[in-house]
Amino acid sequence: MTAPAIYDHYRADDADVSDGIYRVVGTDDETVTLLRVADADGRRSNTGEIVTIHRDRLDGFVSAENPDGNRPVGAAVASQLRMVYWSVRAFVRQLAAHPLPAAVAGAFVLVGALGDHFFQLPEAALSASIIVGSLGLAYVGSGRL
């Protein structure tokens, strides 16, 4: 058997560990650390179950496909859309929690985007205003303020 690498997947054939598919999450000279990522039927699951075994015991495992690859396209898209929704929601809540810095950063973006209609500023200054404002919004929205 070849040396296991991080992110390799194996199906347990070992009576000492739960049935399922495991992902290699760590290796050293003598041991392999595995995270169970799917049940015995190959369905993705978030078990949090971690086992560390001696490399010799890995012979009791069979190479397996990544269970993340067997998700239906619709489920993957729906999951991504939910993630975008919650990310945007958290970002907006952070902006609302810090209205003054958010307003200042938003003003920079507005000046950069609409400033050529109201001010005689060079294009580079308008672009810099958009960049500074965008970075400000990202900072405020990240919750690090």
Side-chain angles (χ1 to χ4, degrees), residues 111-112 115-116 119-129:
V111 166
D116 58 342
F119 309 108
Q120 292 289 65
L121 293 173
E123 188 67 32
L126 296 174
S127 297
S129 180

PDB file of all heavy atoms in Angstrom, residues 111-112 115-116 119-129:
ATOM      1  N   VAL A 111     -18.953  58.303  -3.037  1.00  0.00           N
ATOM      2  CA  VAL A 111     -18.158  59.374  -3.661  1.00  0.00           C
ATOM      3  C   VAL A 111     -17.381  58.814  -4.841  1.00  0.00           C
ATOM      4  O   VAL A 111     -17.321  59.437  -5.907  1.00  0.00           O
ATOM      5  CB  VAL A 111     -17.215  60.039  -2.633  1.00  0.00           C
ATOM      6  CG1 VAL A 111     -16.166  60.901  -3.315  1.00  0.00           C
ATOM      7  CG2 VAL A 111     -18.023  60.873  -1.644  1.00  0.00           C
ATOM      8  N   GLY A 112     -16.808  57.660  -4.675  1.00  0.00           N
ATOM      9  CA  GLY A 112     -16.061  57.060  -5.777  1.00  0.00           C
ATOM     10  C   GLY A 112     -16.947  56.683  -6.948  1.00  0.00           C
ATOM     11  O   GLY A 112     -16.567  56.840  -8.107  1.00  0.00           O
ATOM     12  N   GLY A 115     -19.106  60.357  -7.658  1.00  0.00           N
ATOM     13  CA  GLY A 115     -18.407  61.626  -7.478  1.00  0.00           C
ATOM     14  C   GLY A 115     -18.162  62.413  -8.745  1.00  0.00           C
ATOM     15  O   GLY A 115     -18.120  63.648  -8.715  1.00  0.00           O
ATOM     16  N   ASP A 116     -18.018  61.745  -9.880  1.00  0.00           N
ATOM     17  CA  ASP A 116     -17.744  62.486 -11.119  1.00  0.00           C
ATOM     18  C   ASP A 116     -18.919  63.363 -11.529  1.00  0.00           C
ATOM     19  O   ASP A 116     -18.758  64.310 -12.287  1.00  0.00           O
ATOM     20  CB  ASP A 116     -17.354  61.528 -12.247  1.00  0.00           C
ATOM     21  CG  ASP A 116     -18.411  60.486 -12.544  1.00  0.00           C
ATOM     22  OD1 ASP A 116     -19.295  60.269 -11.695  1.00  0.00           O
ATOM     23  OD2 ASP A 116     -18.327  59.862 -13.624  1.00  0.00           O
ATOM     24  N   PHE A 119     -18.304  66.326  -8.275  1.00  0.00           N
ATOM     25  CA  PHE A 119     -16.998  66.891  -7.933  1.00  0.00           C
ATOM     26  C   PHE A 119     -16.077  66.829  -9.137  1.00  0.00           C
ATOM     27  O   PHE A 119     -16.232  65.997 -10.023  1.00  0.00           O
ATOM     28  CB  PHE A 119     -16.337  66.106  -6.781  1.00  0.00           C
ATOM     29  CG  PHE A 119     -17.215  65.903  -5.582  1.00  0.00           C
ATOM     30  CD1 PHE A 119     -17.734  64.651  -5.285  1.00  0.00           C
ATOM     31  CD2 PHE A 119     -17.521  66.957  -4.740  1.00  0.00           C
ATOM     32  CE1 PHE A 119     -18.535  64.447  -4.176  1.00  0.00           C
ATOM     33  CE2 PHE A 119     -18.327  66.764  -3.626  1.00  0.00           C
ATOM     34  CZ  PHE A 119     -18.839  65.507  -3.341  1.00  0.00           C
ATOM     35  N   GLN A 120     -15.096  67.693  -9.139  1.00  0.00           N
ATOM     36  CA  GLN A 120     -14.043  67.668 -10.151  1.00  0.00           C
ATOM     37  C   GLN A 120     -12.835  66.951  -9.544  1.00  0.00           C
ATOM     38  O   GLN A 120     -11.891  67.576  -9.097  1.00  0.00           O
ATOM     39  CB  GLN A 120     -13.654  69.100 -10.563  1.00  0.00           C
ATOM     40  CG  GLN A 120     -14.725  69.841 -11.312  1.00  0.00           C
ATOM     41  CD  GLN A 120     -14.895  69.258 -12.705  1.00  0.00           C
ATOM     42  OE1 GLN A 120     -15.295  68.110 -12.861  1.00  0.00           O
ATOM     43  NE2 GLN A 120     -14.589  70.037 -13.715  1.00  0.00           N
ATOM     44  N   LEU A 121     -12.889  65.652  -9.526  1.00  0.00           N
ATOM     45  CA  LEU A 121     -11.806  64.847  -8.970  1.00  0.00           C
ATOM     46  C   LEU A 121     -11.205  63.982 -10.064  1.00  0.00           C
ATOM     47  O   LEU A 121     -11.913  63.543 -10.979  1.00  0.00           O
ATOM     48  CB  LEU A 121     -12.326  63.933  -7.852  1.00  0.00           C
ATOM     49  CG  LEU A 121     -12.826  64.611  -6.583  1.00  0.00           C
ATOM     50  CD1 LEU A 121     -13.469  63.587  -5.649  1.00  0.00           C
ATOM     51  CD2 LEU A 121     -11.683  65.301  -5.866  1.00  0.00           C
ATOM     52  N   PRO A 122      -9.897  63.748  -9.989  1.00  0.00           N
ATOM     53  CA  PRO A 122      -9.285  62.853 -10.976  1.00  0.00           C
ATOM     54  C   PRO A 122      -9.845  61.431 -10.841  1.00  0.00           C
ATOM     55  O   PRO A 122     -10.289  61.015  -9.767  1.00  0.00           O
ATOM     56  CB  PRO A 122      -7.794  62.882 -10.638  1.00  0.00           C
ATOM     57  CG  PRO A 122      -7.622  63.777  -9.480  1.00  0.00           C
ATOM     58  CD  PRO A 122      -8.949  64.283  -9.045  1.00  0.00           C
ATOM     59  N   GLU A 123      -9.817  60.716 -11.940  1.00  0.00           N
ATOM     60  CA  GLU A 123     -10.332  59.335 -11.967  1.00  0.00           C
ATOM     61  C   GLU A 123      -9.624  58.466 -10.929  1.00  0.00           C
ATOM     62  O   GLU A 123     -10.238  57.606 -10.303  1.00  0.00           O
ATOM     63  CB  GLU A 123     -10.157  58.758 -13.372  1.00  0.00           C
ATOM     64  CG  GLU A 123     -10.809  57.416 -13.573  1.00  0.00           C
ATOM     65  CD  GLU A 123     -12.342  57.479 -13.499  1.00  0.00           C
ATOM     66  OE1 GLU A 123     -12.917  58.499 -13.881  1.00  0.00           O
ATOM     67  OE2 GLU A 123     -12.924  56.488 -13.027  1.00  0.00           O
ATOM     68  N   ALA A 124      -8.320  58.685 -10.732  1.00  0.00           N
ATOM     69  CA  ALA A 124      -7.565  57.894  -9.758  1.00  0.00           C
ATOM     70  C   ALA A 124      -8.090  58.118  -8.345  1.00  0.00           C
ATOM     71  O   ALA A 124      -8.168  57.176  -7.543  1.00  0.00           O
ATOM     72  CB  ALA A 124      -6.081  58.233  -9.821  1.00  0.00           C
ATOM     73  N   ALA A 125      -8.494  59.341  -8.024  1.00  0.00           N
ATOM     74  CA  ALA A 125      -9.029  59.630  -6.687  1.00  0.00           C
ATOM     75  C   ALA A 125     -10.376  58.943  -6.491  1.00  0.00           C
ATOM     76  O   ALA A 125     -10.668  58.426  -5.408  1.00  0.00           O
ATOM     77  CB  ALA A 125      -9.165  61.138  -6.495  1.00  0.00           C
ATOM     78  N   LEU A 126     -11.199  58.936  -7.546  1.00  0.00           N
ATOM     79  CA  LEU A 126     -12.493  58.260  -7.457  1.00  0.00           C
ATOM     80  C   LEU A 126     -12.307  56.752  -7.270  1.00  0.00           C
ATOM     81  O   LEU A 126     -12.997  56.128  -6.452  1.00  0.00           O
ATOM     82  CB  LEU A 126     -13.330  58.557  -8.696  1.00  0.00           C
ATOM     83  CG  LEU A 126     -13.735  60.024  -8.895  1.00  0.00           C
ATOM     84  CD1 LEU A 126     -14.424  60.199 -10.239  1.00  0.00           C
ATOM     85  CD2 LEU A 126     -14.614  60.497  -7.758  1.00  0.00           C
ATOM     86  N   SER A 127     -11.377  56.184  -8.021  1.00  0.00           N
ATOM     87  CA  SER A 127     -11.092  54.751  -7.882  1.00  0.00           C
ATOM     88  C   SER A 127     -10.552  54.434  -6.493  1.00  0.00           C
ATOM     89  O   SER A 127     -10.950  53.443  -5.873  1.00  0.00           O
ATOM     90  CB  SER A 127     -10.087  54.297  -8.946  1.00  0.00           C
ATOM     91  OG  SER A 127     -10.635  54.453 -10.231  1.00  0.00           O
ATOM     92  N   ALA A 128      -9.663  55.275  -5.989  1.00  0.00           N
ATOM     93  CA  ALA A 128      -9.106  55.072  -4.649  1.00  0.00           C
ATOM     94  C   ALA A 128     -10.203  55.172  -3.593  1.00  0.00           C
ATOM     95  O   ALA A 128     -10.203  54.413  -2.616  1.00  0.00           O
ATOM     96  CB  ALA A 128      -8.006  56.091  -4.374  1.00  0.00           C
ATOM     97  N   SER A 129     -11.153  56.076  -3.799  1.00  0.00           N
ATOM     98  CA  SER A 129     -12.260  56.216  -2.859  1.00  0.00           C
ATOM     99  C   SER A 129     -13.104  54.942  -2.810  1.00  0.00           C
ATOM    100  O   SER A 129     -13.517  54.497  -1.732  1.00  0.00           O
ATOM    101  CB  SER A 129     -13.122  57.416  -3.246  1.00  0.00           C
ATOM    102  OG  SER A 129     -14.195  57.565  -2.356  1.00  0.00           O
TER     103      SER A 129
END
